[in-house]
Amino acid sequence: MALLIGVPKETAPGEKRAATVPEVVEKLVKLGFSVAVESGAGDAANCSDEAYRAAGAEVLPDSATLFQRADIVFKVRPPSAEEVALLREGAMLVGFVWPAQNPELMQQLAAKKATVLAIDALPRQLSRAQKMDALTSQAGVSGYRAVIEAANAFGRFFNGQITAAGKVPPAKVFIAGAGVAGLAAIGTAANLGAIVRANDTRAEVADQVVSLGGEFVKVDYEEEGSGGGGYAKVMSEGFQAAQREMYAKQAREVDIIITTALIPGKPAPKLITAEMVATMKPGSVIVDMAAEQGGNCELTVPGQAVVRHGVTIVGYTDLASRLAKQSSTLYATNLLRLLEELCKTKDGTVNVNFEDDAIRGLTVIKEGAITWPAPPPKLPPAPPKPKADAAAPAAAKASKGHGHGSVEPMSAKTLAIVFAVGAVLFWFVGAYAPASFLQHFTVFVLACFVGYMVVWNVTPSLHTPLMSVTNAISSIIAIGALVQVAPPLDAAGAADRPNTLILVCAVVALVLTAINMFGGFAVTRRMLDMFRK
């Protein structure tokens, strides 16, 4: 029998997201499930009851009826004590639970003999789990919204402008933490025209910051900051002192600071002190994305925007909810991908398979038994490090030069010998070959030399589009095939028709060169589009 998925209206103050949207309801029905939605559950996310009905969902009048009937409950926020009391015994709950921070909630759900899948406990280091990673999808929305809130509180343009009324300098934005939310904020601020700087304890994110248009600001202290599951770890006192010095300098220089630093299971680290805020320029803005966990700024007030020392400090805890339609759609898709893993037979039933590391990781309670924390997932072995041998320096040296692999440029002596041999061969050909052949041969040699020099001096990243357009141009040989298919007329007006074999070869040559010609230009266009923003 197909299970019923229930989507209640969120009761947390200020929460506008819905656990599913009409577009996803249609896909859940195709998996074999029935769907029921509490009336008004999607109103704040611009999803009306009529839209849910049109997608195949049943709209129930109240949460009590929904909880009593639902076999699986989709939620965004952790359930309240009242909602747990309404939950049917043995039902399944899917949503954010935060088991480490909510031990009492875990006991209440276990007493209901429920099966609880905490989407926040998903092993994020598993590549196949990325499609279910709601933390990432919601953090991306929050990072984008943080920049919008900063722009709203900031008194100037983000991009620099030169107008008849004067010159407007671009805003300077500093982003503390380059995780998913930080990278989303970097890309958004850079697209708005701001000068963006960012810092993170994980050195490997520096390239990602630069690729999004930001400048990576390094702390003058060597220490690796990568923690488990893609998070940062707690750094040493020496690193933190150097980091505070760097933050103090940035606070004096920039107009906007966006902080995103969080460490799992711990309060948000204090990065921006009251003294730093006092040194910022009047009208500056701080958006503290860690406000719900205490904030990265000492003066943050969770849930509010306050002004301290002339600086607006935004501590909103509902950034993702302020883009309710977008975040609801992404979250609903994450839960859909999870249901696809639980219901591979597409018959409206679920199988919580503990052999699957992703499912085992996010299952915190199974049929009333607390199974959290899960054992570490089995990750594939790291690739072996290349052995350092005597050939390594030579390979490194050979890989330099023009950046064309491991071919080392010829020495002056070798180059002179090659030219001498070539000159002798050229003289030999000129002495004995017909004059017409010598003319064509000269053009051929010059074409090879010019082509070689042109390609050799082009940036390696452009070799593929260059060669593809070269291939297209080289299809000029199609003219030779055309001459064979339709030979010119002689003085008497008669054409010297080729034999059948030559005609067939000419037609085949025309087909192949046409493919080469159009395909070469098509590949060139697609490759060059990759270099355009």
Side-chain angles (χ1 to χ4, degrees):
M1 181 179 177
L3 299 178
L4 175 66
I5 298 173
V7 182
K9 186 175 182 178
E10 295 295 322
T11 58
E15 182 56 70
K16 300 178 181 178
R17 290 173 290 179
T20 196
V21 295
E23 297 86 351
V24 173
V25 167
E26 297 177 355
K27 298 175 182 177
L28 292 172
V29 172
K30 289 180 180 179
L31 281 177
F33 296 97
S34 300
V35 181
V37 180
E38 182 183 352
S39 180
D43 286 351
N46 297 320
C47 299
S48 64
D49 291 349
E50 291 74 19
Y52 282 114
R53 287 194 186 95
E58 180 183 3
V59 178
L60 299 179
D62 53 61
S63 58
T65 305
L66 184 140
F67 275 100
Q68 289 167 10
R69 290 184 52 190
D71 301 297
I72 304 171
V73 176
F74 279 2
K75 273 190 62 58
V76 179
R77 295 274 186 169
S80 63
E82 292 77 13
E83 290 175 320
V84 174
L86 293 173
L87 188 67
R88 206 180 77 193
E89 187 167 306
M92 176 181 288
L93 174 69
V94 183
F96 286 104
V97 177
W98 306 108
Q101 289 88 345
N102 297 304
E104 292 183 6
L105 174 62
M106 292 285 287
Q107 294 298 331
Q108 293 170 1
L109 291 168
K112 282 282 188 175
K113 294 184 171 54
T115 297
V116 180
L117 275 60
I119 202 72
D120 49 273
L122 181 75
R124 303 173 75 188
Q125 60 269 45
L126 297 176
S127 58
R128 58 177 296 272
Q130 292 177 1
K131 60 185 179 182
M132 302 177 274
D133 190 358
L135 282 172
T136 293
S137 66
Q138 301 305 292
V141 175
S142 297
Y144 174 90
R145 183 68 190 197
V147 177
I148 302 303
E149 294 295 340
N152 180 58
F154 189 51
R156 292 207 324 263
F157 296 134
F158 262 48
N159 62 324
Q161 296 186 17
I162 298 177
T163 70
K167 181 179 179 181
V168 180
K172 295 180 180 178
V173 180
F174 177 72
I175 297 172
V180 175
L183 292 174
I186 292 168
T188 305
N191 287 337
L192 287 175
I195 297 173
V196 184
R197 305 169 185 171
N199 167 261
D200 197 282
T201 57
R202 297 159 293 186
E204 65 268 18
V205 304
D207 290 340
Q208 300 176 45
V209 171
V210 173
S211 69
L212 289 171
E215 174 192 352
F216 188 78
V217 182
K218 195 173 183 298
V219 177
D220 191 17
Y221 193 98
E222 293 298 330
E223 183 177 350
E224 177 53 45
S226 296
Y231 292 98
K233 69 176 184 180
V234 179
M235 307 300 286
S236 67
E237 281 297 328
F239 182 92
Q240 292 181 32
Q243 187 182 53
R244 283 192 294 270
E245 183 179 345
M246 182 269 291
Y247 283 150
K249 179 182 177 183
Q250 293 299 321
R252 293 191 297 268
E253 295 180 0
V254 302
D255 304 299
I256 296 169
I257 296 178
I258 299 175
T259 65
T260 70
L262 286 172
I263 298 173
K266 297 181 181 293
K270 299 299 181 186
L271 305 178
I272 308 299
T273 64
E275 291 78 11
M276 295 180 193
V277 176
T279 64
M280 295 183 71
K281 291 174 282 189
S284 298
V285 179
I286 296 175
V287 180
D288 194 339
M289 296 184 63
E292 194 167 7
Q293 282 74 41
N296 296 135
C297 177
E298 290 182 346
L299 302 180
T300 296
V301 178
Q304 298 182 30
V306 297
V307 179
R308 299 288 186 270
H309 305 292
V311 177
T312 302
I313 304 173
V314 180
Y316 297 149
T317 58
D318 60 345
L319 290 172
S321 187
R322 289 171 179 254
L323 285 171
K325 177 64 175 180
Q326 182 66 76
S327 53
S328 297
T329 302
L330 294 174
Y331 183 70
T333 303
N334 293 141
L335 297 192
L336 169 66
R337 301 306 174 208
L338 171 57
L339 258 292
E340 289 175 343
E341 294 296 316
L342 294 172
C343 180
K344 294 183 179 295
T345 54
K346 298 184 179 181
D347 58 356
T349 60
V350 296
N351 175 30
V352 182
N353 180 18
F354 271 23
E355 297 299 318
D356 186 324
D357 284 340
I359 302 301
R360 174 64 188 91
L362 55 79
T363 305
V364 296
I365 301 176
K366 186 175 183 181
E367 297 174 357
I370 296 178
T371 59
W372 182 86
K378 305 179 186 68
L379 297 176
K385 294 182 179 180
K387 295 181 180 179
D389 52 27
K397 179 180 178 181
S399 65
K400 295 179 181 179
H402 297 281
H404 295 262
S406 59
V407 180
E408 187 175 356
M410 290 184 290
S411 64
K413 181 179 179 181
T414 305
L415 189 62
I417 294 174
V418 169
F419 269 103
V421 172
V424 172
L425 291 176
F426 194 77
W427 173 84
F428 181 81
V429 171
Y432 296 97
S436 58
F437 175 81
L438 182 60
Q439 181 181 2
H440 293 304
F441 183 69
T442 303
V443 173
F444 172 74
V445 171
L446 290 176
C448 290
F449 176 76
V450 172
Y452 172 82
M453 295 304 296
V454 167
V455 174
W456 191 258
N457 288 285
V458 170
T459 304
S461 60
L462 293 175
H463 277 183
T464 300
L466 174 67
M467 294 308 296
S468 61
V469 76
T470 303
N471 286 339
I473 295 173
S474 69
S475 297
I476 195 70
I477 59 175
I479 294 177
L482 288 171
V483 170
Q484 293 299 324
V485 172
L489 301 178
D490 57 16
D496 184 14
R497 294 290 180 183
N499 61 41
T500 304
L501 178 61
I502 294 177
L503 185 62
V504 169
C505 291
V507 171
V508 172
L510 274 175
V511 173
L512 294 178
T513 51
I515 295 173
N516 193 47
M517 184 182 302
F518 292 107
F521 283 120
V523 171
T524 302
R525 182 180 181 84
R526 294 185 62 181
M527 288 295 299
L528 292 178
D529 284 342
M530 296 173 63
F531 294 90
R532 298 191 180 103
K533 193 171 181 180

